[in-house]
C-alpha cells in the first residue's frame, strides 16, 4: 500500500478499462489448459470445436465483436442475427445493451456480480462466504471476551474514518496503483435474498449512512449507536459498557431467526418475504441490513476438533450449525465479526461486494490498532472530557415475531445447514518448514511455487491432475475484480510426475520445478492484465445468452466441462499478521485451499467434503507438507542454479 499522493477520486478516474483479449489468444491458451485434463481423443474433439468457433464469420468471431463493442462503446446487434422472427427481440435487446454499455465502466463487473453471486442459488454459507481467522487469543473471563470485542469494534470504526476521509492508502501491484472501489463497499452493505435472484444494498454510500452496528448474542439482535450523542465514535470503554448491557439482557437463547440466512437462496428468498410481512420483523431486518457491520458474541466451541486453528475456521465459516452459533449470525451482512468465548476471533464475509485482500487489510488495521494500544490514549481523553458511559442510549433490542410458519422455516434451515456442517471438514495449519524468503532466494515466485506444491500434493494423492482455480486480481482496471489462473498445465503435470519418479535425478526434478513455476508465473502475469481464459469465455457465453442464442457447443464440450470442474479452489490472501482466510471446496469432490505466505512460514486453511470418498483435508495437508519439503530439498540438492 502507498499513501495516496493524489485524491482517491482522481486515482479511480484515471484507471484503465478492462480489455477484451483477442479471441485467438484466449482460445489457444484455453486449449493448453484443457490438454492435461482430457484424453488424446477428447482433445482432438475440443480442438475441432474451438476451430469452428473461431473460424472467420463463425459464432466466436461474432460474439467477440459484440463484446469488444460493449467494452469500448455500445453494443450493436445490427446484422447479428438476421432471422426475422428474432429481429424484434434483438432490437429490444440492442436498446437495453446500449444503455448498459453507456453506463458501464467495466464490461464484466455487473455480469460478474450476477453470475458469480446474486444468481447463485446455493447457500452462501460454505459455498460462497469465506471465513477470516484472526490471530488466536486467550480469554479467561467474559470481560476478556467483551473487552476484545470492544477493541475490534473501535478498531474497525477507526478504519471506517480513513474510508470516510478518503485517506485509506491506495493499494498497488508493482508500479500499478489498484482500483479501490471494493473498500467503499465493505461497510454498511447487505445482500437481500430474492426468489430467483438476490440484490445488494450499499447503505454506507447512501445520503444517510448508518451510525450503528448490530451485536448478536444468544441469537438476540441489538442495535448499538456507535457515534454517541456528540457524533464522535465511542471509546473502548463505552462500547464495552454497551456490550455488557447486551449480554445481561440476553442470558438465554432465543429463536434463531438468523439461521434462515444459511438456506438455499430460493428458499430463503421465499421465507424472507413471509418474515418481512410482519411490521416489527421488517423494522428489525432493516436495522440489520443498514448497520455498519455485525458483531457476533459466541459461546465456547461446540465439537472441538483438537486443532484450535481449525475450530476457529469452522466457527467463522459456518458457526458449527444449529447446535452452535449459526443462529447468532445474519449471513447476508457483508462483514460479521465473530468473537468466541475462549479466544477464537475472526469474521465471515458475504463475498458479493469485495475480494479477500481489502477485507484482510481491514483486519490488519484492527490488529495494529489493538496491538499498538492507540485506543488507551483515546479512552483517557474521554475521561478528561467527562463523558461517562451512562450517558449513552441503551442498546436497542431488535425484536422478531416468529409465526408458526417461520418456526417451520427455521427447522428446515437447521436441518439443511446441519447436513452441510456435517459434510465440511477442514484442516488449518501453520507450515513452518520455510516461507517466501527461501523461495525468493531461489529466484522463484513464491505464489507460483506454492501453487505448484498444491498441484503436486493433488497428483501425489490422486495420481492424476486436478483442474485448479486460483484468483488473480484485475484491480489494475477500473472496478476490476478477478480472473482465474488455471494452475494445472502440461508443465505442472510433467513436474508432478518427475517429482514422484524415484529414478529422476535432483537436477531433473529441480529443472521441471522451475519450468512449472515459470509457466504458472506467465499465466498469472497474463491473468492480472485481464488476459486469462475464464472471464473472456464467460463474457462470450453471456453475450450469446443475452442475444437469445443457443449456448455455443464449446461450452458443452468435455474439454470445457473438465477444465472448469475446479477440484482445487485456491487463493492467496496475504495479511501482515498471522491470520488466514478459509473457504469450502468449489465442487463436491474438490479441495479448498487458501494461504497467507509469510517470510518464514505459510498459514494454510484447507477444506474438503466428507461425502466425497476421494478427498480428505488431513491427507491433503500431509501431501502438501511433504510436497513443499520435497521441493525445498530438491532445490538445495540440485546443482542447477537459477538464472540471475
Ligand atoms: N525471484 C525473487 N523474488 C520474486 C520472484 C523471483 N523469481 N518472483 C516474484 N518475486 C517476489 C516479488 O517481487 C514479490 O516481492 P514483494 O514481496 O517485495 O512484493 C514477491 O516475491 C511475491 O510475488 P509473487 O509470489 O510472484 O506474486 P504475488 O504476491 O504478486 O501474488 C497473485 C500473485 C496472482 C496471487 C496476485 O497478483 C494477486 O492477484 N493477488 C490477489 C488474489 C485475490 O484477489 N485473492 C482473493 C480472492 S477472494
Amino acid at each position: 500500500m502507498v499513501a495516496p499522493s493524489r485524491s482517491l477520486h482522481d486515482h479511480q478516474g484515471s484507471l484503465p478499462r478492462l480489455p477484451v483479449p483477442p479471441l485467438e489468444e484466449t482460445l489457444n491458451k484455453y486449449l493448453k489448459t484443457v490438454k492435461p485434463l482430457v484424453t488424446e481423443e477428447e482433445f482432438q474433439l475440443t480442438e475441432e470445436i474451438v476451430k469452428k468457433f473461431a473460424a472467420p464469420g463463425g459464432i466466436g468471431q461474432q460474439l467477440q465483436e459484440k463484446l469488444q463493442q460493449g467494452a469500448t462503446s455500445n453494443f450493436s446487434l445490427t446484422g447479428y442475427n438476421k432471422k426475422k422472427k428474432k429481429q424484434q427481440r434483438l432490437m429490444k435487446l440492442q436498446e437495453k445493451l446500449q444503455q448498459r454499455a453507456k453506463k458501464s465502466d467495466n464490461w464484466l463487473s455487473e455480469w460478474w456480480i450476477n453470475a458469480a453471486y446474486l444468481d447463485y442459488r446455493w447457500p452462501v454459507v460454505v459455498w460462497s462466504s469465506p471465513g477470516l481467522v484472526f490471530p488466536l487469543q486467550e480469554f479467561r473471563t467474559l470481560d476478556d471476551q467483551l473487552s476484545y470485542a470492544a477493541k475490534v469494534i473501535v478498531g474497525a470504526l477507526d478504519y471506517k474514518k480513513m474510508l470516510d476521509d478518503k485517506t485509506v492508502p491506495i493499494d498497488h501491484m508493482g508500479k500499478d496503483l489498484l482500483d479501490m472501489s471494493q473498500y467503499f463497499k465493505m461497510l454498511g452493505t447487505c445482500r437481500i435474498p430474492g426468489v430467483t435472484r438476490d440484490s445488494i444494498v450499499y447503505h454506507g454510500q447512501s445520503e444517510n449512512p448508518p451510525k450503528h452496528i448490530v451485536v448478536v448474542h444468544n441469537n438476540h439482535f441489538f442495535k448499538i449507536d456507535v457515534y454517541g450523542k456528540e457524533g464522535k465514535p465511542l471509546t473502548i470503554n463505552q462500547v464495552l459498557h454497551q456490550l455488557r448491557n447486551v449480554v445481561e439482557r440476553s442470558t438465554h437463547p432465543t429463536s434463531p431467526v438468523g439461521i434462515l440466512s444459511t438456506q438455499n437462496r430460493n428458499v430463503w428468498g421465499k421465507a424472507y418475504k413471509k418474515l418481512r410481512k410482519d411490521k416489527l420483523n421488517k423494522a428489525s431486518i432493516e436495522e440489520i441490513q443498514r448497520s455498519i457491520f455485525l458483531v457476533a458474541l459466541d459461546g465456547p466451541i461446540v465439537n472441538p476438533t483438537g486443532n484450535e486453528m481449525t475450530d476457529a475456521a469452522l466457527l467463522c465459516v459456518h458457526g458449527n450449525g444449529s447446535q452452535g452459533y449459526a443462529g447468532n449470525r445474519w449471513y447476508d451482512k457483508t462483514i460479521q465479526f465473530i468473537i468466541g468465548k475462549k479466544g477464537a476471533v475472526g469474521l465471515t464475509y458475504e463475498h458479493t461486494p469485495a475480494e479477500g485482500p481489502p477485507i484482510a487489510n481491514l483486519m490488519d488495521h484492527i490488529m495494529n490498532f489493538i496491538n499498538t494500544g492507540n485506543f488507551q490514549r483515546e479512552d483517557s481523553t474521554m475521561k478528561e472530557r467527562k463523558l461517562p458511559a451512562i450517558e449513552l442510549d441503551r442498546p436497542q433490542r431488535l425484536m422478531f415475531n416468529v409465526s408458526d410458519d417461520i418456526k417451520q422455516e427455521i427447522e428446515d434451515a437447521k436441518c439443511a445447514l446441519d447436513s452441510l456442517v456435517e459434510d465440511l471438514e477442514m484442516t488449518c495449519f501453520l507450515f513452518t518448514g520455510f516461507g517466501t524468503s527461501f523461495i525468493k532466494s531461489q529466484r522463484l515466485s513464491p505464489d507460483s511455487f506454492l501453487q505448484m506444491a498444491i498441484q503436486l500434493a493433488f497428483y501425489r494423492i490422486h495420481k492424476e491432475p486436478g483442474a485448479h482455480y486460483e484468483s488473480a486480481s484485475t484491480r489494475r482496471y477500473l472496478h476490476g475484480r478477478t480472473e482465474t489462473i488455471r494452475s494445472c498445465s502440461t508443465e505442472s503435470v510433467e513436474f508432478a510426475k518427475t517429482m514422484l519418479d524415484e529414478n529422476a535425478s535432483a537436477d531433473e526434478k529441480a529443472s521441471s520445478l522451475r519450468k512449472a513455476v515459470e509457466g504458472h508465473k506467465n499465466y498469472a502475469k497474463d491473468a492480472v492484465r485481464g488476459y486469462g481464459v475464464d472471464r473472456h469465455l464467460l463474457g462470450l457465453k453471456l453475450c450469446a445468452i443475452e442475444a437469445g442464442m443457443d449456448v455455443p457447443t464449446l461450452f458443452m464440450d468435455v474439454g470445457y466441462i473438465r477444465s472448469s470442474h475446479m477440484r482445487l479452489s485456491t487463493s492467496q490472501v496475504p495479511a501482515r499478521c498471522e491470520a488466514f482466510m478459509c473457504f469450502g471446496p468449489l465442487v463436491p469432490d474438490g479441495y479448498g485451499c487458501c494461504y497467507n505466505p509469510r517470510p518464514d512460514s505459510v498459514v494454510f486453511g484447507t477444506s474438503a467434503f466428507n461425502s466425497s470418498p476421494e478427498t480428505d483435508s488431513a491427507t491433503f495437508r500431509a501431501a502438501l507438507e511433504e510436497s513443499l519439503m520435497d521441493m525445498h530439498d530438491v532445490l538445495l540438492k540440485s546443482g542447477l542454479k537459477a538464472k540471475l
Side-chain angles (χ1 to χ4, degrees):
M1 288 192 289
V2 289
S5 55
R6 52 180 162 169
S7 79
L8 266 171
H9 184 264
D10 290 346
H11 157 66
Q12 284 294 117
S14 68
L15 287 168
R17 303 281 177 103
L18 182 72
V20 177
L23 185 62
E24 207 184 327
E25 190 177 321
T26 299
L27 293 175
N28 285 340
K29 205 174 284 164
Y30 166 68
L31 282 174
K32 274 181 79 179
T33 65
V34 169
K35 196 159 194 189
L37 296 161
V38 293
T39 63
E40 202 45 54
E41 264 180 8
E42 287 167 338
F43 188 67
Q44 273 173 16
L45 185 66
T46 303
E47 269 186 319
E48 272 169 37
I49 289 170
V50 165
K51 214 167 156 189
K52 257 194 206 162
F53 186 78
I59 207 75
Q61 296 281 358
Q62 292 178 39
L63 292 173
Q64 172 78 357
E65 219 172 279
K66 304 305 143 204
L67 204 53
Q68 274 165 343
Q69 284 165 10
T72 52
S73 56
N74 299 337
F75 275 106
S76 162
L77 292 167
T78 315
Y80 182 40
N81 189 333
K82 288 189 172 135
K83 282 184 188 164
K84 266 191 185 165
K85 59 179 179 181
K86 285 197 175 167
Q87 201 62 36
Q88 264 192 332
R89 217 161 102 218
L90 290 176
M91 291 311 288
K92 271 191 190 158
L93 256 175
Q94 175 176 358
E95 225 170 85
K96 220 171 138 194
L97 290 176
Q98 276 170 342
Q99 283 165 4
R100 169 205 161 95
K102 262 186 208 159
K103 279 189 216 151
S104 129
D105 292 325
N106 179 311
W107 63 264
L108 180 64
S109 53
E110 196 189 328
W111 267 339
W112 179 247
I113 281 205
N114 289 331
Y117 303 108
L118 301 178
D119 284 339
Y120 189 70
R121 302 286 85 199
W122 289 29
V124 292
V125 177
V126 176
W127 290 108
S128 168
S129 298
L132 176 61
V133 178
F134 297 6
L136 296 174
Q137 305 298 314
E138 205 183 321
F139 304 145
R140 296 215 169 90
T141 63
L142 174 64
D143 236 37
D144 283 353
Q145 181 192 12
L146 299 187
S147 298
Y148 201 82
K151 289 176 197 167
V152 168
I153 292 166
V154 177
L157 294 175
D158 193 58
Y159 194 74
K160 181 177 181 298
K161 182 163 171 19
M162 289 207 303
L163 291 170
D164 292 345
D165 295 347
K166 305 239 175 347
T167 54
V168 62
I170 301 174
D171 290 344
H172 67 105
M173 195 184 279
K175 285 188 200 135
D176 293 320
L177 295 178
L178 303 184
D179 176 274
M180 294 296 287
S181 52
Q182 292 175 31
Y183 281 83
F184 297 91
K185 294 177 181 165
M186 295 189 295
L187 302 175
T189 304
C190 199
R191 181 166 167 159
I192 314 284
V195 177
T196 53
R197 168 185 283 183
D198 292 359
S199 54
I200 186 157
V201 276
Y202 300 106
H203 291 293
Q205 299 185 336
S206 69
E207 282 181 2
N208 177 26
K211 300 267 184 259
H212 69 277
I213 62 167
V214 165
V215 175
V216 214
H217 179 246
N218 271 332
N219 311 333
H220 297 264
F221 291 83
F222 290 86
K223 171 185 176 183
I224 299 182
D225 184 346
V226 281
Y227 284 91
K229 286 176 185 154
E230 280 194 333
K232 293 215 162 72
L234 302 192
T235 66
I236 308 271
N237 282 337
Q238 287 175 318
V239 174
L240 177 59
H241 175 85
Q242 300 295 62
L243 295 180
R244 284 185 187 132
N245 182 280
V246 163
V247 171
E248 278 161 21
R249 291 164 61 204
S250 54
T251 48
H252 297 291
T254 189
S255 187
V257 177
I259 209 165
L260 293 171
S261 62
T262 66
Q263 264 286 26
N264 162 291
R265 304 306 297 180
N266 289 349
V267 178
W268 173 212
K270 283 183 202 148
Y272 177 80
K273 276 190 169 176
K274 287 188 216 162
L275 189 68
R276 258 179 67 101
K277 270 192 187 146
D278 180 286
K279 273 191 187 157
L280 188 75
N281 295 348
K282 184 171 179 260
S284 296
I285 291 171
E286 281 171 5
E287 294 292 10
I288 294 170
Q289 290 170 341
R290 270 186 54 75
S291 63
I292 302 168
F293 52 79
L294 193 141
V295 179
L297 301 172
D298 285 0
I301 299 284
V302 177
N303 302 326
T305 60
N307 172 338
E308 285 189 333
M309 289 171 73
T310 301
D311 288 343
L314 292 169
L315 187 71
C316 289
V317 169
H318 58 44
N320 301 125
S322 70
Q323 299 306 306
Y325 308 99
N328 212 40
R329 308 273 189 277
W330 193 268
Y331 280 98
D332 295 344
K333 193 69 199 153
T334 305
I335 303 277
Q336 294 194 83
F337 293 106
I338 295 158
I339 317 288
K341 190 158 188 83
K342 299 285 178 196
V345 181
L347 61 80
T348 178
Y349 82 95
E350 199 290 301
H351 212 320
T352 311
E355 306 304 336
I359 310 279
N361 275 336
L362 163 69
M363 175 207 57
D364 269 332
H365 181 88
I366 295 169
M367 288 301 112
N368 189 47
F369 179 84
I370 294 176
N371 296 336
T372 53
N374 279 345
F375 50 85
Q376 281 160 359
R377 203 179 51 242
E378 248 186 78
D379 267 0
S380 52
T381 321
M382 288 312 273
K383 269 184 209 145
E384 280 159 27
R385 283 203 280 141
K386 296 192 171 48
L387 283 175
I390 40 169
E391 279 197 2
L392 304 169
D393 285 337
R394 211 160 90 109
Q396 180 196 335
R397 189 189 292 276
L398 303 176
M399 308 282 286
F400 282 96
N401 284 326
V402 180
S403 64
D404 285 346
D405 206 5
I406 293 296
K407 269 188 199 146
Q408 187 52 51
E409 296 283 357
I410 290 175
E411 288 311 307
D412 293 349
K414 281 183 183 176
C415 225
L417 178 66
D418 286 347
S419 50
L420 195 52
V421 167
E422 188 85 341
D423 201 9
L424 183 75
E425 46 110 352
M426 285 186 137
T427 301
C428 306
F429 61 100
L430 180 69
F431 171 77
T432 53
F434 57 91
T436 55
S437 302
F438 167 75
I439 307 171
K440 284 183 192 176
S441 75
Q442 292 295 316
R443 304 279 163 184
L444 291 167
S445 147
D447 186 68
S448 300
F449 183 97
L450 294 171
Q451 285 289 313
M452 290 307 99
I454 294 170
Q455 269 291 302
L456 176 55
F458 188 95
Y459 202 96
R460 198 184 277 279
I461 300 170
H462 300 284
K463 318 285 178 239
E464 62 176 6
H468 183 161
Y469 180 113
E470 182 191 11
S471 322
S473 172
T474 50
R475 283 175 53 212
R476 66 178 60 195
Y477 299 110
L478 187 60
H479 298 157
R481 292 287 299 253
T482 57
E483 171 58 279
T484 306
I485 303 170
R486 293 183 160 212
S487 295
C488 179
S489 61
T490 311
E491 293 92 339
S492 75
V493 178
E494 202 42 52
F495 151 68
K497 284 183 180 160
T498 312
M499 285 297 289
L500 298 173
D501 178 354
E502 284 173 9
N503 298 319
S505 69
D507 279 358
E508 284 166 337
K509 289 181 180 181
S511 162
S512 68
L513 188 163
R514 287 187 184 280
K515 268 191 207 144
V517 167
E518 188 65 20
H520 178 274
K521 188 67 202 168
N522 288 337
Y523 199 121
K525 276 187 198 155
D526 283 351
V528 296
R529 285 173 46 245
Y531 288 81
V533 163
D534 291 79
R535 302 300 179 267
H536 187 190
L537 289 187
L538 176 71
L540 296 170
K541 184 175 168 188
L542 292 176
C543 249
I545 292 171
E546 288 205 355
M549 298 164 60
D550 291 340
V551 173
T553 325
L554 182 130
F555 298 100
M556 262 88 88
D557 168 48
V558 66
Y560 182 80
I561 292 166
R562 194 113 16 101
S563 67
S564 317
H565 183 79
M566 300 293 184
R567 295 194 66 190
L568 285 156
S569 166
T570 68
S571 187
Q572 178 191 146
V573 178
R576 290 197 294 279
C577 60
E578 207 175 87
F580 63 97
M581 199 165 264
C582 49
F583 40 73
L586 261 186
V587 295
D589 58 347
Y591 300 95
C593 179
C594 195
Y595 50 93
N596 172 13
R598 301 171 61 70
D600 298 311
S601 60
V602 187
V603 201
F604 283 101
T606 71
S607 61
F609 286 117
N610 283 317
S611 52
S612 163
E614 288 179 52
T615 56
D616 166 60
S617 67
T619 309
F620 185 69
R621 172 199 177 155
L624 185 54
E625 292 201 286
E626 198 178 349
S627 300
L628 286 164
M629 286 319 298
D630 283 356
M631 289 162 73
H632 170 271
D633 294 350
V634 144
L635 287 172
L636 292 185
K637 261 191 224 153
S638 158
L640 290 181
K641 292 289 165 231
K643 285 182 220 136
L644 296 182

